[in-house]
Amino acid sequence: MSISAAFFAQAQDVSVIRNTIDVYSNAPNIGSAKFNAMGGSNGALGGDANSLLTNPAGLGVAISGEISGTLSVTNNKNTSSYAGSSYGYSINKGDLGNLGAVMTFQLMTESAWKFINIGVNYSNQSVENYIETPGNNNLVYDFPDATSSSFGRHAYDRYGYLSKTSFGVGANYNNSLYLGAGLNFLNASIDQSDTAIFNSLSNGNAEYFSKQNTPFTEKANGFSASLGVIGKLSPNFRLGAALETPTFWNMDRGYNYYNDPISGDDFASENRRLTTPMKATVSAAFIASKSFALNVDYTLGITKPKYKVYGDAESELNDFFKENYKNLSELKIGAEYRIKQFRLRGGYSYASSPIDALTISKYNNDGSITDNQSYSNLILNNRNALSFGLGYDFRSFYIDASYQNISSNYSNPFLYGKVDSNYEAGYYSPNRLISSDAYAVSDVKNIRNNFFLTFGWKF
């Protein structure tokens, strides 16, 4: 375990690992207020454009056209605790979270095929994330010129967005079998920095250091396809299954580098190709009456992230994911209860930790180092989400609102930066270099409170 976790390290920034999983391997899953209130669970229910987020066969369930738009207000708060102190920071965002439309075409023939429907869905979410960790006066770095500084602060700072546009077609066979297919086009933009502050022990002056190859920017576009089926076993029970291909990402990347023997400090750019996991989803729905419906989705990742190899960096990343990445496992449960024109909805979802336990060298609060410290939640961890919502149907028009709470706790490693004849991965200021063979590790509590409001028209 110690050998495999050393990846990490040699020339990679931890945030590259986090973004590969947290941004590129998790397509945006923000739908309408109804979809979000039910925990994103609709794989066997279907009926609207959000089916393209789980199972495109759900398009075939629709019997009327529909257009909807969703406004999202999101709050993302990280509290990072280290050496007896904590920093908390909240990010608030308002945006257009989702647009969806379904066009239905009833087939007036003697055939058992009843409908052919076309759908389009657009989902958008901010990936902005800020993790600031307090310092530790006991963690002191001695520079070669005989001066010393203590650790004052560390921050990961990420800006950007992730969007997914899907087009699909669904078919209804004899009101008992529904088939669907979709094409998904994704876009991502990230600006990220990894900085540390050290305070001089002689005069107290603060000095800023940047991790090698940061700040960096990434502009990326991706493509995937999906297939799905829903079978009606009885008027009350449905089963569904869907498969989404890996997402094939093309990434243009620019980054700052430091201490090069020829060009010194400068900016470079490169192209990367990333394939993120294929996903399979199975679903079941129970429809007790026109007043109550319950849906359960289970999604499993069946491949692992993999970069096209251009050099040592991509080989290191692939070795890490091969040895330490756990396939995605996500459970979603959602229910809706109708009282005349009113709608009451609730949902829960759980996503498992995407990374196996890792063993690293870490700094203790007194500044000493512990080797072979094991963590089961390093970088990212499992995620729980609770949601509920209300709606009112005006027959042709409807309005829905929902609230979503997502929580996760994980250990946040930073400050590692090995510098030797093979690697330049330290933290750099214009005048100094910090090289570290161990990590400082903070405890991060992430809470997301999201609100959604949807306006829709049926025709």
Side-chain angles (χ1 to χ4, degrees), residues 26-31 35-36 39-40 53-54 123 125 330 332 404:
N26 285 328
N29 209 29
I30 291 181
F35 178 87
N36 300 326
L53 294 172
T54 50
S123 290
Q125 69 186 51
E330 187 170 11
K332 301 176 182 178
Q404 183 184 61

Side-chain angles (χ1 to χ4, degrees), residues 172-371:
N172 176 338
Y173 182 82
N174 205 31
N175 294 318
S176 60
L177 179 67
Y178 308 91
L179 304 174
L183 300 177
N184 309 300
F185 302 90
L186 298 95
N187 287 277
S189 176
I190 294 175
D191 291 276
Q192 179 142 347
S193 63
D194 177 346
T195 57
I197 292 177
F198 277 76
N199 300 316
S200 172
L201 296 183
S202 60
N203 56 28
N205 290 341
E207 190 168 6
Y208 285 76
F209 293 80
S210 291
K211 182 81 163 68
Q212 178 70 276
N213 297 338
T214 71
F216 64 80
T217 63
E218 289 177 349
K219 307 290 184 183
N221 57 78
F223 170 80
S224 70
S226 55
L227 294 171
V229 59
I230 297 174
K232 185 184 290 186
L233 304 183
S234 74
N236 302 107
F237 290 97
R238 298 179 192 173
L239 293 178
L243 184 69
E244 183 175 355
T245 69
T247 301
F248 302 95
W249 287 98
N250 181 27
M251 306 158 62
D252 290 316
R253 192 167 190 267
Y255 57 92
N256 289 65
Y257 65 87
Y258 310 94
N259 203 40
D260 185 84
I262 298 175
S263 54
D265 300 348
D266 208 341
F267 181 83
S269 60
E270 64 184 12
N271 176 265
R272 275 183 172 171
R273 301 293 178 95
L274 169 65
T275 303
T276 54
M278 175 184 291
K279 300 172 185 177
T281 299
V282 292
S283 308
F286 172 65
I287 305 169
S289 64
K290 290 184 177 181
S291 297
F292 180 76
L294 174 71
N295 190 91
V296 179
D297 294 340
Y298 177 73
T299 299
L300 179 67
I302 51 181
T303 59
K304 298 185 178 185
K306 186 175 182 179
Y307 282 88
K308 182 176 181 179
V309 175
Y310 293 105
D312 292 341
E314 290 82 14
S315 295
E316 283 182 4
L317 289 164
N318 289 341
D319 288 345
F320 173 78
F321 290 122
K322 181 179 179 180
E323 297 296 329
N324 302 294
Y325 179 82
K326 292 193 297 186
N327 289 344
L328 167 76
S329 178
E330 187 170 11
L331 176 68
K332 301 176 182 178
I333 303 172
E336 179 184 67
Y337 183 71
R338 299 183 178 187
I339 308 171
K340 295 184 178 180
Q341 277 72 48
F342 285 98
R343 310 288 187 258
L344 302 176
R345 304 177 180 113
Y348 169 77
S349 68
Y350 171 83
S352 63
S353 174
I355 301 175
D356 280 322
L358 296 172
T359 301
I360 61 173
S361 297
K362 60 158 285 191
Y363 288 108
N364 300 312
N365 289 347
D366 62 4
S368 62
I369 294 176
T370 295
D371 293 323

